[in-house]
Amino acid sequence: MKKVLLSLAVVAALGMTSCGGIDVDAAAEEFCACAEKEGDDKTKCHDEWVAKYKGAKGSEEDGKKLGEAMVKCDAGSALSVLTKMQ
């Protein structure tokens, strides 16, 4: 199941990327920081993350790296957050 979720997250992350330059490590770190929050604070954190990175550009490799990092630190939220990115 986790492998399926990882695949879906990577595909969703790739949807937000193309050519350009997203700082994948910073984006992943910020997303993972949200995982430590609870309730409304977590939702607000995710919404701010989406607002900041929606439309961001990066390579296919960047999308894969970001998706993997997101699933690793918060698989439960990764897919729903990445869905908001599209």
Side-chain angles (χ1 to χ4, degrees):
M1 178 66 177
K2 189 170 184 175
K3 197 171 205 177
V4 171
L5 181 60
L6 174 59
S7 296
L8 292 172
V10 169
V11 168
L14 290 175
M16 69 178 259
T17 62
S18 61
C19 296
I22 183 176
D23 184 341
V24 176
D25 293 327
E29 186 176 310
E30 290 174 32
F31 176 82
C32 292
C34 293
E36 299 173 12
K37 300 179 184 294
E38 295 181 13
D40 290 342
D41 288 337
K42 186 172 187 173
T43 300
K44 181 180 177 189
C45 187
H46 283 150
D47 289 345
E48 289 171 354
W49 189 90
V50 169
K52 182 174 183 178
Y53 290 104
K54 187 170 186 169
K57 305 293 183 198
S59 68
E60 184 174 325
E61 183 178 308
D62 290 341
K64 182 177 179 183
K65 184 177 177 182
L66 179 58
E68 289 173 349
M70 292 172 76
V71 168
K72 186 175 181 179
C73 70
D74 191 359
S77 297
L79 189 58
S80 64
V81 169
L82 288 170
T83 301
K84 292 179 184 180
M85 298 295 286
Q86 298 180 347

